[in-house]
Amino acid sequence: MKASPTGASAPPPHDRHPSKRHSPKRILFTLLAGLAGLAVCGVLVVVFALAMAYPNLPALDTLTDYRPKMPLRIFTADNVLIGEFGEERRTLVHFKDIPDVMKKAVLAIEDTGFYEHGGVDYLGIVRAAVHNATGGARQGASTITQQVARNFFLSSEQTLKRKAYEALLAWKIEKNLTKDQILEVYMNQIYLGQRAFGFSSAAQIYFGKDLKDITVAEAAMLAGLPKAPSAYNPVVNPKRARMRQQYILQRMHDLRYITDAQYAEAKDEQLKIKTDSTAFGVHAEYVAEMARQLVYEQFKEDTYTRGLNVFTTITKADQDAAYLALRRGVMDYERRHTYRGPEKYIEIPKTKADADEAIEAELAEHPDSDDIVAAIVLQAAPSGVTAVLASGEEIKMSGPGLAFAREWLSPKAATTRSLRRGAVIRVSQDGGSSWSITQLPEVESAFVAVDPSDGQIRALVGGFDYNRSKFNHVTQAWRQPGSSFKPFIYSASLERGFSPATLINDAPISFDAGSTGGQAWEPKNYDAKYEGPMTMRRGLTKSKNMISIRILNKIGARYGQEYATRFGFDADKNPPYLTLALGAGATTPLQMSGAYSVFANGGYRISPYLISKVTDADGKVLSEARPERAGVEANRVIDERNAYLMDSMLRDVARYGTAAKAQATLKRPDIGGKTGTTNDSMDAWFAGYTPHLVGIAWMGYDQPRNLGNKETGGGLALPIWIGFMQKALKGVPVEERTVPGGLVQYGDEYYYAENPPGTGVQSLDVGTPSPQGEQKTRDAVRNELF
């Protein structure tokens, strides 16, 4: 080796330029090249994996042929929604029918670049990743298309594999559906709380209005729900919901989706949220449940997923009238009887925060019954009571508002029978202003109205409050009809030669056990008064028990039982004993409505029905009612003359008999009906009608007990019937009935042509008077009645 000038050995050739061999640029280049190579390999691997996975992605049939689970919906005859059944409350709405403001609100908060990206927002992903890496609150970057992919095909777990599949599906969706189709699916499918799926259903549930009618402020509130339906639910968390709504309005304004004026108006708008998201536009809960059961019998499990629309025969106006009349009648009864006291007592904590929490928790256990509201007493004295409602509002009651509970406010009242701090009570507003102490009723009631021409049910209220008792007293309560059953015995007697002018002795009578099917029987009139011989017409008008008993005894209990089946009564529930004359059998209000329809329509049997038609989600009719109709001779069950004479006598009942209040109030001569009060006043009835509307009202306790010594069908059920008819008959012209052929008139009474005065059954237990004597007796009766 050659020595250097210094004597040192010369470096080997490859070590002569160390600065070039270890240059930082060269090292960086090498490193970047290696990383790039790895990235390319990684991308190739990912692309290969995705390419292999893409063919295995699920088919998009559920999107391209979008058929979501649609709930069963029940409507009135005039298209008012009264019930909805199914796990998902949804209303399918097409893209063109979604208001522009709703679309913009959703895009503003969920995906502003929706119409620009191809399904995945790459910049958004990077932005979210950087934000998350720097310690900010976790952000996502899912586009609307990705959300659709996730909702239909994937779980919500946060894994790289799931996110990769989500992106792939988003690409596939974008290739197969238009942007408008994707947005339409999203806005119909997304969950928005309160069992609502889609914005159309949410608009109804939260605001009680159609999606097309929502305001900018309401659209912004709804658009805030997809991110967290519970956290931003305006029913559950109104403050958080409003904060998010305000943010979305700001976004819409910044994006120029709304004008300055729209923004200013929307951010200050006070929204009216439906706090009871299950409430519909009319109280028809019993109707909806009846319809659900009937439809389920036909369609089974498809009932809740096919989007069936059920159109009932009830009308909103009639149903509202029936509901209000029944509630008013029941509460009038309550006010006539004793206050039972608070529902509960609690100890109210001393600190305000603890007190508010305790009060809120307790009142949650005492749900309101429409206008009968739960409250907790804060202060109580004979001069006034202060109470707090679930809303936190404090109310004061004094004077007439305390009258119902006056004894419980007495200083002498025992601790267990006093109104004091911590008492859970019920209150209601009189005329919407002053508050009064009241109570939830224990008594129950039912009302049903039917069109006698074909049986369509126009109104049905199965009880005081469906949320307290699902038992439908219209269809399920088999009760003794009492005197309201007497007209069917009278009708039977007309077929056996009696006439309205037949004289019958109103005098005490007794029977041995063989006649009654039980024990010896000495029946009495309701008032224990007896008036001697009177016409059959007057006997019905005054509801004399002795008259109907003598009639049934004459025609035979077996014949009376069989004859009653013509009207739809069950023979096995109405045994052939003389007690049948006083309505000792059993029937339901619905069955009674069909029976009285025979008198109203001239003698034809009809069957009350509730559903007029069922359609699928596209409006195709799947089933339709084919009712039995009056006027079809095949449906006739009693002679036209019989029906006319019974109608004539029943009109007298409403004119100046036990139901005279009906005529006095409604001022209509075409009203007929009969009161009914059972033994020991356990059931109170009124069955009444006009030629085109039959109404049946009932009141009683579920566990039968005395309603009160002076309580009768005329005092309890009749006011409910009148309350309904005052609205239902408004504007309906009076209709007089034409006298049918085969009747002959003597004086002011009609007879069957084959049974003129002096023939047929002229009297029972009073001898056989001449036609002239019978006429004189009838005139005397008339004079007395008037």
Side-chain angles (χ1 to χ4, degrees), residues 326 329-330 333-334 441-447 462-464 471 473 477 479-480 589 676 678 680-685 697-708 711-713 716-717 720:
L326 184 143
V330 169
Y333 170 81
E334 284 295 312
E442 292 181 346
V443 73
E444 272 294 356
S445 187
F447 183 85
F464 184 80
F471 187 79
H473 297 83
R479 307 293 291 230
Q480 288 190 351
T678 62
D680 293 329
S681 296
M682 291 187 181
D683 295 272
W685 295 79
W698 167 86
M699 192 181 293
Y701 289 97
D702 281 337
Q703 296 299 320
R705 70 174 195 255
N706 190 286
L707 287 161
E711 299 291 5
T712 65
L716 293 175
I720 294 173

Side-chain angles (χ1 to χ4, degrees), residues 425-569:
I425 63 173
R426 293 284 171 169
V427 296
S428 63
Q429 278 185 296
D430 299 325
S433 55
S434 59
W435 290 90
S436 298
I437 294 175
T438 186
Q439 65 186 1
L440 287 173
E442 292 181 346
V443 73
E444 272 294 356
S445 187
F447 183 85
V448 60
V450 168
D451 183 337
S453 66
D454 66 354
Q456 60 178 287
I457 297 172
R458 294 263 298 274
L460 185 151
V461 184
F464 184 80
D465 185 343
Y466 180 81
N467 294 316
R468 292 177 66 211
S469 172
K470 307 295 189 291
F471 187 79
N472 188 338
H473 297 83
V474 169
T475 59
Q476 296 176 291
W478 290 90
R479 307 293 291 230
Q480 288 190 351
S483 296
S484 62
F485 192 80
K486 289 177 181 176
F488 307 104
I489 303 302
Y490 278 61
S491 177
S493 75
L494 294 178
E495 295 300 296
R496 286 299 180 97
F498 284 64
S499 76
T502 297
L503 286 177
I504 304 172
N505 196 12
D506 176 32
I509 191 170
S510 61
F511 300 93
D512 58 28
S515 302
T516 64
Q519 56 190 1
W521 184 41
E522 293 186 5
K524 294 179 174 57
N525 283 332
Y526 175 78
D527 58 4
K529 295 179 181 178
Y530 306 92
E531 301 181 36
M534 64 175 62
T535 62
M536 193 167 81
R537 177 183 291 275
R538 188 182 182 215
L540 184 62
T541 301
K542 302 197 74 173
S543 196
K544 290 289 189 176
N545 291 344
M546 299 304 105
I547 304 299
S548 56
I549 291 169
R550 279 188 163 86
I551 290 173
L552 185 59
N553 189 42
K554 178 68 175 180
I555 66 174
R558 178 69 65 182
Y559 178 74
Q561 177 201 42
E562 293 174 353
Y563 188 86
T565 62
R566 300 186 187 192
F567 298 85
F569 294 111

Side-chain angles (χ1 to χ4, degrees), residues 282-353:
V282 57
H283 280 285
E285 296 88 348
Y286 291 98
V287 173
E289 175 58 17
M290 275 181 67
R292 182 197 69 79
Q293 292 178 17
L294 291 169
V295 172
Y296 184 81
E297 289 177 7
Q298 182 177 358
F299 295 95
K300 303 304 179 185
E301 291 306 319
D302 282 351
T303 299
Y304 310 115
T305 58
R306 283 185 62 180
L308 301 179
N309 296 310
V310 180
F311 294 90
T312 66
T313 56
I314 73 164
T315 61
K316 182 183 187 309
D318 287 340
Q319 184 67 20
D320 285 343
Y323 176 80
L324 293 173
L326 184 143
R327 298 269 299 192
R328 189 182 304 114
V330 169
M331 293 312 295
D332 285 347
Y333 170 81
E334 284 295 312
R335 281 187 283 271
R336 289 199 299 272
H337 292 267
T338 307
Y339 180 58
R340 295 185 298 274
E343 296 178 14
K344 189 177 179 181
Y345 295 97
I346 67 167
E347 287 294 328
I348 301 178
K350 294 183 179 179
T351 65
K352 188 177 188 308

